[in-house]
Amino acid sequence: MSRLRLWMIYAQIFLFWSSLESVSARDVFVTIGGGPDPANNQVSLEKNVEYFSRVVADNHSQPLDHRILFADGPASDPDLKYIDDAAESSPAMKWMCRIIGDEYWISLRYRNHHPIAQEKPADKQHLDELMRQLANDLDDGDRLVLYVTAHGGPANSDVNAHDDVDARFTASEHARDTSIILWGDEELRASEFIDWLDRFSPDVQVIVVMVQCYSGGFAEMVFREGDRRFGLSERARCGFFSQRHDRASAGCTPAIDESNYQEYSSYFWAALDGRSRDGVDLIQADYDKDGRVSMAEAHAYAMITCDTIDVPLRTSDVVLRRLSNFKVEPTESDSPGFVQSIFGGLLSGTDTADVASKTNSLDRTIDEILAFARADQSEVITQLASILELPGDLSVRRIQRQRRKLTERIDKKYAVVSDLSDAEVTLIEEIRRSLNQANPEFREHGFSPIITQWTSARGDEFVTLIESFEESQSLEHVQLKIEELTKEIDELERHEAKFERLVLTLQNVLLELNLPNVADEPTVERWKKLMELENSSLWP
């Protein structure tokens, strides 16, 4: 038998076994959704679960295995909060809510969440059972895709105040041990979640997308045992997170209209689906023009498009900030070929011989950094710089200064709102005292039978009485001013978030280029695998 014929047989055998492996590999999707109790279980969380379920069903070619844990599960109690847009409110009702609570309460309603097939409660017991089962069931090459649309909590501010604090971590590392708040107000910390993931075989790919507040703390899953001191994990896992570890996220709302939803995962899933949340717009997020949209490109699309206070993160972002820096000078041994090999040709078209001179300075300009950016990074930088009206000759350092000036403006407006809020409380107390004098049946907290009459049959009388008080006119003025300033602050904070996203991406390019100068070869290999996973497609 000729050598050529023998090689052809080997090739056929290899292709056969490869095809068997690709068929046998499977994807399991897990969604954790809902709040810790009915008052904090907004309808948007339910709609996020429904949306993600549609996207997966429409795009996944294999038989779908989707496990869902949501709120109180199959229980029939009303556990979901929503706004009834048809709710009527009279002037008397609005005034009553102003002085005993919040006008927002008028249209709030509760119902049971929509039934979901095979769902279970989103509590720690059921989640632990599921993760143990999947750790036993999933084989090497399988993928676990886990989506969290819930509420999150910050890390413990005082590590000595809690007996259950993990002794592995220092105080600074505990700052990233944030949590998911499960049904029943149970707290699942990032360190505990990472311990659960460590039950899986190292070659089971784990991909997480999390949109809870402080979700960035869970990005520590990319390190061995979730500890930065132990270096980058060899395990095949990556994640995409709506917000940094030290900030609350945007998105949870009792409003029903999904066209107004502004939250990270809406844009992430839309980019992968090719359609917006309402199924109308065609999303073009294939930035490298390879015929598919990777998860990294979906993240980039969300970074550009999502108009919120969020500063989304990827696992690779936290790795770069741990393993690379802006201080180490490149060595003569860092050849262009080595840099090119690490980034898999992603720097094609650039002069890699000049990489060394551009790896470690925040004085580099937008245009200079763009020359070394990947396609998804380039799109984020170009689009955000355009939105912020920043010229290409602006350096990272100068952009940071502009952001700090914006932060100072925001802080000043918050100070004014704080003073106005104090004045609001004082005015409400004065109005209550005046009401008590006019009618002793009204009490401090307003839970008197006369309230029903004053907001219905005697509504006109009540409004006339309220508006006769001098403090009522002042209260309306103060509340209007607070509302105006709050809108201004919200707009400025969304603008500030775009600055932070831009700086984050610019820094990533520099840190990525500098990584070969400071990381050993095994770390570089693990980095390459992480980048391959982040740049893979979610759909088989």
Side-chain angles (χ1 to χ4, degrees):
M1 183 180 296
S2 69
R3 182 173 296 179
L4 177 60
R5 176 64 177 166
L6 187 62
W7 277 111
M8 289 179 65
I9 293 174
Y10 287 158
Q12 289 174 343
I13 294 173
F14 174 78
L15 291 173
F16 172 75
W17 284 110
S18 297
S19 65
L20 285 182
E21 182 179 356
S22 64
V23 169
S24 62
R26 64 185 178 121
D27 291 342
V28 174
F29 295 87
V30 172
T31 297
I32 305 168
D37 51 55
N40 294 286
N41 188 29
Q42 295 89 343
V43 69
S44 63
L45 300 174
E46 174 194 66
K47 289 185 176 293
N48 281 352
V49 174
E50 292 174 338
Y51 174 49
F52 177 58
S53 298
R54 292 197 306 271
V55 170
V56 173
D58 289 345
N59 289 277
H60 203 266
S61 58
Q62 298 181 18
L64 187 58
D65 187 350
H66 189 181
R67 322 288 179 89
I68 298 175
L69 295 86
F70 188 84
D72 63 357
S76 59
D77 301 325
D79 65 342
L80 193 81
K81 181 167 71 175
Y82 70 99
I83 289 177
D84 182 3
D85 294 325
E88 297 182 0
S89 59
S90 65
M93 180 68 76
K94 289 181 179 179
W95 265 115
M96 187 63 72
C97 286
R98 280 182 181 177
I99 60 178
I100 68 169
D102 194 321
E103 194 173 329
Y104 172 70
W105 294 353
I106 296 175
S107 56
L108 284 182
R109 302 290 184 271
Y110 288 86
R111 63 167 171 80
N112 189 30
H113 70 267
H114 295 154
I116 306 170
Q118 299 180 339
E119 66 170 323
K120 293 183 178 180
D123 56 32
K124 188 176 288 189
Q125 174 189 338
H126 287 91
L127 183 56
D128 184 22
E129 291 173 356
L130 175 60
M131 295 294 280
R132 288 181 184 277
Q133 176 193 340
L134 292 176
N136 291 327
D137 291 350
L138 293 180
D139 298 321
D140 291 352
D142 291 343
R143 295 195 304 178
L144 170 64
V145 182
L146 192 145
Y147 173 43
V148 178
T149 173
H151 289 287
N156 295 327
S157 58
D158 182 3
V159 297
N160 296 318
H162 299 270
D163 295 334
D164 61 345
V165 164
D166 197 322
R168 288 177 300 176
F169 302 108
T170 65
S172 62
E173 288 156 347
H174 272 292
R176 294 180 176 84
D177 195 17
T178 60
S179 62
I180 301 169
I181 311 300
L182 300 171
W183 184 258
D185 211 26
E186 293 183 310
E187 184 182 68
L188 174 62
R189 295 198 314 274
S191 56
E192 186 175 6
F193 176 78
I194 294 167
D195 287 342
W196 286 0
L197 293 186
D198 285 346
R199 301 169 183 167
F200 289 80
S201 166
D203 292 322
V204 171
Q205 294 185 8
V206 177
I207 300 160
V208 305
V209 178
M210 296 185 171
V211 297
Q212 75 274 14
C213 293
Y214 314 102
S215 56
F218 284 74
E220 303 301 300
M221 61 184 274
V222 78
F223 299 107
R224 285 197 193 117
E225 299 182 25
D227 191 329
R228 293 185 170 206
R229 295 170 299 177
F230 298 161
L232 194 56
S233 174
E234 300 91 343
R235 293 175 176 271
R237 59 175 67 152
C238 72
F240 302 86
F241 311 90
S242 65
Q243 185 60 291
R244 293 169 18 173
H245 73 279
D246 56 352
R247 286 191 177 187
S249 299
C252 291
T253 173
I256 294 176
D257 187 1
E258 291 185 66
S259 64
N260 295 323
Y261 286 6
Q262 286 284 337
E263 60 91 33
Y264 170 83
S265 66
S266 292
Y267 296 91
F268 187 89
W269 302 133
L272 291 171
D273 188 38
R275 296 170 294 178
S276 61
R277 187 167 184 136
D278 57 10
V280 176
D281 300 330
L282 186 65
I283 307 300
Q284 299 292 339
D286 180 15
Y287 300 129
D288 61 6
K289 308 301 180 187
D290 68 348
R292 67 183 180 92
V293 176
S294 68
M295 290 179 289
E297 288 171 324
H299 176 80
Y301 178 79
M303 290 269 282
I304 297 165
T305 313
C306 189
D307 189 23
T308 68
I309 61 171
D310 293 344
V311 183
L313 296 175
R314 295 161 50 175
T315 36
S316 55
D317 295 341
V318 300
V319 170
L320 286 172
R321 275 147 188 78
R322 174 59 179 172
L323 300 181
S324 190
N325 56 60
F326 296 105
K327 298 178 181 178
V328 178
E329 294 293 338
T331 64
E332 294 181 0
S333 62
D334 295 325
S335 67
F338 179 60
V339 173
Q340 190 75 24
S341 67
I342 287 180
F343 300 106
L346 294 172
L347 300 179
S348 59
T350 65
D351 182 5
T352 52
D354 194 37
V355 165
S357 67
K358 296 183 182 294
T359 57
N360 60 345
S361 175
L362 293 178
D363 291 316
R364 298 298 173 183
T365 67
I366 293 174
D367 287 341
E368 287 176 329
I369 294 171
L370 273 173
F372 300 94
R374 298 190 313 270
D376 58 301
Q377 293 173 323
S378 178
E379 196 71 21
V380 172
I381 293 168
T382 302
Q383 293 287 353
L384 290 181
S386 176
I387 292 170
L388 296 170
E389 299 180 344
L390 301 177
D393 61 356
L394 205 62
S395 70
V396 178
R397 206 177 301 278
R398 288 173 61 193
I399 295 171
Q400 289 175 316
R401 291 195 195 107
Q402 287 197 22
R403 185 195 63 79
R404 283 194 291 269
K405 290 180 180 178
L406 184 58
T407 302
E408 291 172 1
R409 286 179 59 195
I410 294 171
D411 290 342
K412 289 178 180 178
K413 288 185 180 292
Y414 266 122
V416 175
V417 169
S418 178
D419 291 340
L420 288 170
S421 297
D422 291 341
E424 179 186 29
V425 171
T426 300
L427 288 168
I428 289 174
E429 290 175 349
E430 289 293 330
I431 292 172
R432 285 176 173 175
R433 278 193 286 269
S434 298
L435 280 171
N436 281 331
Q437 290 175 2
N439 194 320
E441 289 184 286
F442 188 90
R443 292 294 178 264
E444 182 68 18
H445 296 291
F447 297 112
S448 167
I450 200 172
I451 288 180
T452 305
Q453 300 174 26
W454 279 1
T455 55
S456 54
R458 298 176 62 183
D460 292 342
E461 176 187 347
F462 176 63
V463 171
T464 300
L465 177 61
I466 284 282
E467 293 181 349
S468 69
F469 303 145
E470 182 179 342
E471 295 86 359
S472 298
Q473 295 179 7
S474 299
L475 179 63
E476 286 191 289
H477 173 75
V478 167
Q479 290 179 331
L480 181 61
K481 189 62 179 175
I482 290 174
E483 183 179 351
E484 291 173 353
L485 279 171
T486 300
K487 289 180 179 178
E488 291 176 15
I489 290 171
D490 180 62
E491 183 176 353
L492 290 173
E493 286 185 329
R494 287 186 281 114
H495 204 62
E496 181 190 34
K498 292 181 177 64
F499 267 101
E500 295 206 39
R501 296 176 198 176
L502 175 60
V503 169
L504 173 70
T505 309
L506 290 167
Q507 288 178 339
N508 281 349
V509 178
L510 297 174
L511 290 169
E512 212 169 310
L513 291 173
N514 190 55
L515 185 64
N517 302 320
V518 294
D520 57 29
E521 193 167 338
T523 298
V524 169
E525 288 302 312
R526 289 195 292 271
W527 165 261
K528 289 169 64 175
K529 290 181 180 179
L530 172 63
M531 293 299 291
E532 287 174 4
L533 186 56
E534 288 188 353
N535 283 280
S536 64
S537 175
L538 191 61
W539 317 127

